[in-house]
Amino acid sequence: ILIILLIIISVSACGSSGELKKEYTAYSPQHSQSAVVASNDHFQLLWDDTNKCILLKDNRNGKIWSSVPYDYYKKSDQSGTALVQLYSPLLIEYYETESFQVKKVNAYSECISNGTVNAKRLKNGLSVTYFFERLKISVPVDYILTNDGLEARLRVDKIAEKKNLVTKIS
């Protein structure tokens, strides 16, 4: 029975690749500045540190896309439900181990409004980590500039959790 118990404990602490799951570490500010973080002949990738959002500018026609709908991003009267929904680059569903319930939360309410977002430059882009401090969950997303536009990569292997477990990310 002891051997079976040890096997179960060791298997439950491993991910699908046999590695231990990434343990959550508390948010620690890493100062970043609003700037062009990558560019090529077709596009520029920009980071807005104030609003914690990504912008993609087409160099050929000047059109701009954003992780926040750009028309709303430019408005001066941003408030209410639209603000929370439109400024949320992520919606996570998680299993709360204390209540045995599956719950949902968005990145604006938990991360952006609290300033718990870190951005770090990559070779052709930016790695943005959203820290859900109350839940003890962090979710990293890499935004990579390509010749065709922008590629967003959810870094599943680097999602960190403590007691609450991520079940779905939108």
Side-chain angles (χ1 to χ4, degrees), residues 98-111:
E98 288 182 1
S99 68
F100 304 107
Q101 294 181 343
V102 175
K103 296 183 175 183
K104 293 180 182 178
V105 67
N106 66 61
Y108 179 80
S109 298
E110 292 288 328
C111 308

Side-chain angles (χ1 to χ4, degrees), residues 39-56:
S39 63
N40 59 31
D41 291 340
H42 304 289
F43 299 101
Q44 286 184 339
L45 179 61
L46 300 98
W47 171 248
D48 177 348
D49 194 56
T50 303
N51 293 303
K52 307 295 187 204
C53 73
I54 293 287
L55 298 110
L56 180 68

Side-chain angles (χ1 to χ4, degrees), residues 135-162:
L135 305 175
K136 307 289 187 253
I137 294 171
S138 63
V139 179
V141 179
D142 291 351
Y143 297 94
I144 307 298
L145 186 65
T146 68
N147 283 329
D148 298 323
L150 182 67
E151 184 177 307
R153 299 176 186 163
L154 176 62
R155 298 298 310 267
V156 176
D157 60 325
K158 298 205 183 237
I159 292 173
E161 306 161 308
K162 189 130 186 165

Side-chain angles (χ1 to χ4, degrees), residues 28-97:
S28 175
Q30 295 176 353
H31 297 287
S32 55
Q33 295 180 344
S34 299
V36 174
V37 294
S39 63
N40 59 31
D41 291 340
H42 304 289
F43 299 101
Q44 286 184 339
L45 179 61
L46 300 98
W47 171 248
D48 177 348
D49 194 56
T50 303
N51 293 303
K52 307 295 187 204
C53 73
I54 293 287
L55 298 110
L56 180 68
K57 180 179 180 183
D58 189 325
N59 292 334
R60 298 164 289 193
N61 60 22
K63 185 166 173 74
I64 297 176
W65 297 271
S66 172
S67 54
V68 174
Y70 192 63
D71 290 339
Y72 186 78
Y73 173 84
K74 294 186 302 184
K75 282 186 176 181
S76 60
D77 61 339
Q78 303 167 348
S79 62
T81 305
L83 174 75
V84 173
Q85 292 175 349
L86 295 175
Y87 265 77
S88 292
L90 299 174
L91 173 67
I92 68 168
E93 192 172 278
Y94 65 97
Y95 176 71
E96 188 177 69
T97 56

